[in-house]
Amino acid sequence: MRRRSVLATILILGLASPVAAAPVAYAYDAEGSSVTAEADYGAVAVRARMPVASASFTIDFDRVANSRFAVTLRADRARSNLPFAASAIMGESVLDAANHPEIGFESSRVAATGAGRLAVTGRATIRGVTREVTLQAVIFRPRGSAPGHRDDLKVLITGTISRAAFGAAGHAESVGDTVRLRLLLHLRRAAG
């Protein structure tokens, strides 16, 4: 999917609606979702893709501060664009996936920063180390959907973290400390 054309043609959701509504629970849909983490490896970027183990999203379009996001990734199933890198990424000096098979994030604060744009602060846990991080999120609906359509959404979550802050500093002589995160999550209104 061409990211630029999709984002350019999708209408961003307004977070405030004229009629008060309750928070909306969403279920994660793996179709159309992807999670990558990227760090510099000399002149190239080493990318890890990780599957989502679970995700829970409740979005309050009237009072965005009441929204909650939680995502758990499978560190023990990481794959990489460089053939030799996956085992290093999952290894003891980086993610230590044998002892810490999951990476988690749970929001503690959500604030609107623009139409459909959020700052999401929460606790990230990587290799058993928990730190507060702030990530950016954009909520958008499918191209061609009616204004106000909120049954089928995508959330793009981006941000950076320090590997060293989580004790994942292995291979520091060749791999940069800054990790760029990109989670594109497909959400559907939960039944019930």
Side-chain angles (χ1 to χ4, degrees), residues 13-63:
L13 285 174
L15 289 176
S17 65
V19 177
V24 179
Y26 288 90
Y28 168 73
D29 185 345
E31 186 176 327
S33 297
S34 65
V35 175
T36 58
E38 179 179 275
D40 293 329
Y41 176 64
V44 300
V46 61
R47 280 189 260 338
R49 288 188 171 274
M50 286 174 262
V52 174
S54 65
S56 172
F57 286 79
T58 301
I59 303 172
D60 188 328
F61 293 96
D62 294 321
R63 293 177 197 85

Side-chain angles (χ1 to χ4, degrees), residues 78-138:
R79 299 295 175 256
S80 178
N81 61 319
L82 302 176
F84 61 87
S87 61
I89 291 166
M90 292 186 291
E92 186 177 352
S93 67
V94 182
L95 294 180
D96 192 15
N99 294 308
H100 306 283
E102 296 182 333
I103 293 172
F105 175 82
E106 187 169 346
S107 68
S108 56
R109 286 187 312 274
V110 179
T113 59
R117 297 179 182 279
L118 308 170
V120 182
T121 300
R123 297 169 53 87
T125 302
I126 302 171
R127 54 179 287 136
V129 177
T130 302
R131 299 274 185 262
E132 185 176 87
V133 300
T134 298
L135 305 171
Q136 294 71 49
V138 178

Side-chain angles (χ1 to χ4, degrees), residues 61-80:
F61 293 96
D62 294 321
R63 293 177 197 85
V64 72
N66 294 334
S67 300
R68 295 289 172 254
F69 295 7
V71 179
T72 302
L73 306 176
R74 293 291 306 267
D76 61 343
R77 293 183 47 205
R79 299 295 175 256
S80 178

